[in-house]
Structure formats: structure tokens, C-alpha cells
């Protein structure tokens, strides 16, 4: 297994609209996707693109808002009412090879491999096995379908 680039940093927020205003008005973000619901995961999602260098894409900020009290991130928002960094996401070339790699290392995988917000397969690793950081592993997207601009 070979680690790929840092694709995005997930930020849980009580309000995507307020967070978009913050990234736009305070940080000067200009490339922001339209929010969309991922009802099967209980969240609303939006991506903020950061600039890259030499034609490369920068790391994205994934804004995540709970769709209701049963959302997997609802408790996280209760504990962090202003919002907070939720996870980091790294790309891998082959999601099944990566899953097998982490399983063989004895890392706890949280749930089945599923399709994430970029439309590619993902899984999460338990923070206690990843230096205290909830870690998402995603298969590298093909093409530019995951960029908002």
C-alpha cells in the first residue's frame, strides 16, 4: 500500500451556510461547491477548494453538517457546538488493497467500504489506531469530477 495525497480535511459544522460565508468572507475562498445531501450517511456536504501550485489542485475542505439528530456527526456537533476538524482523508490507488493492508496491520476499520462524497469508495479508520485522528481512506478519483471549479 502506498499513501497518496491529502485529499481533504473534514470540518463538521452546525451550519454549512455560515461556514461558506466564513471561508468566503474571512479567508477569501472563491471555489466553493453547492451543498448537497448525502441522506444515506445523514449529512449535508460542501467542498471548499484551496489553491494548488503549478497546475495541481490544493487540498479541499469538506464541510459536513448533520441532517438531523440521528446523524453520525450530531454528537460531535453537540460536543463542538461551533464546529471543529472532524477527519483527514488520504487517497490510495486501490481501496481494496488499502483495506487489506490496514486489516493486516490490525487497524480497526469503521464499517464497510462505501461510496463517499466524491463518488469514490471510502472507509474510515478508528482514531485510536491513527494517532488520535479519525482517518478516511479514499480511492483516488478519476478525472476532475471531485473539484467544484
Amino acid at each position: 500500500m502506498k499513501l497518496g495525497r491529502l485529499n481533504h480535511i473534514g470540518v463538521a459544522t452546525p451550519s454549512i451556510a455560515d461556514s461558506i460565508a466564513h471561508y468566503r468572507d474571512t479567508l477569501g475562498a472563491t471555489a466553493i461547491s453547492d451543498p448537497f445531501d448525502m441522506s444515506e450517511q445523514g449529512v449535508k456536504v460542501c467542498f471548499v477548494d484551496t489553491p494548488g501550485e503549478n497546475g495541481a489542485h490544493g487540498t479541499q475542505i469538506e464541510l459536513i453538517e448533520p441532517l438531523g439528530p440521528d446523524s453520525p456527526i450530531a454528537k460531535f456537533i453537540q460536543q463542538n457546538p461551533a464546529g471543529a476538524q472532524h477527519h483527514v482523508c488520504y487517497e490510495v490507488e486501490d481501496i481494496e488493497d488499502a483495506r487489506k493492508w490496514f486489516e493486516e496491520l490490525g487497524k480497526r476499520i469503521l464499517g464497510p467500504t462505501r461510496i463517499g462524497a466524491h463518488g469514490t469508495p471510502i472507509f474510515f479508520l478508528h482514531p485510536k489506531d491513527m494517532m488520535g485522528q479519525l482517518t478516511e481512506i479514499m480511492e483516488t478519483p478519476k478525472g476532475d469530477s471531485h473539484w467544484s471549479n
Side-chain angles (χ1 to χ4, degrees):
M1 211 273 313
K2 182 180 175 189
L3 178 67
R5 71 181 205 91
L6 176 63
N7 181 280
H8 66 267
I9 298 169
V11 176
T13 176
S15 168
I16 280 184
D18 291 348
S19 294
I20 288 172
H22 171 77
Y23 278 91
R24 184 189 59 237
D25 302 341
T26 304
L27 296 170
T30 57
I32 302 171
S33 73
D34 291 329
F36 58 95
D37 290 353
M38 294 191 69
S39 356
E40 67 281 357
Q41 295 187 30
V43 295
K44 179 180 287 197
V45 177
C46 172
F47 289 99
V48 178
D49 293 351
T50 66
E53 295 181 2
N54 302 319
H57 294 294
T59 299
Q60 289 183 312
I61 306 299
E62 179 186 39
L63 301 174
I64 314 159
E65 176 184 329
L67 284 177
D70 295 332
S71 171
I73 65 163
K75 184 176 180 182
F76 185 86
I77 291 293
Q78 287 174 352
Q79 295 170 340
N80 302 277
Q85 179 182 328
H86 184 258
H87 67 272
V88 294
C89 176
Y90 297 100
E91 294 181 9
V92 296
E93 285 301 315
D94 185 292
I95 198 75
E96 292 307 319
D97 285 349
R99 187 176 180 101
K100 182 178 176 187
W101 168 267
F102 288 111
E103 286 172 342
E104 288 174 356
L105 291 175
K107 305 301 182 189
R108 288 171 280 184
I109 297 173
L110 303 174
T113 300
R114 59 190 180 275
I115 300 301
H118 287 105
T120 63
I122 66 161
F123 61 83
F124 284 89
L125 296 161
H126 197 289
K128 289 183 180 177
D129 295 337
M130 300 301 291
M131 299 176 57
Q133 184 68 62
L134 179 62
T135 303
E136 179 180 355
I137 302 297
M138 73 177 280
E139 194 164 276
T140 301
K142 308 302 183 240
D144 281 345
S145 62
H146 63 297
W147 296 99
S148 62
N149 55 355

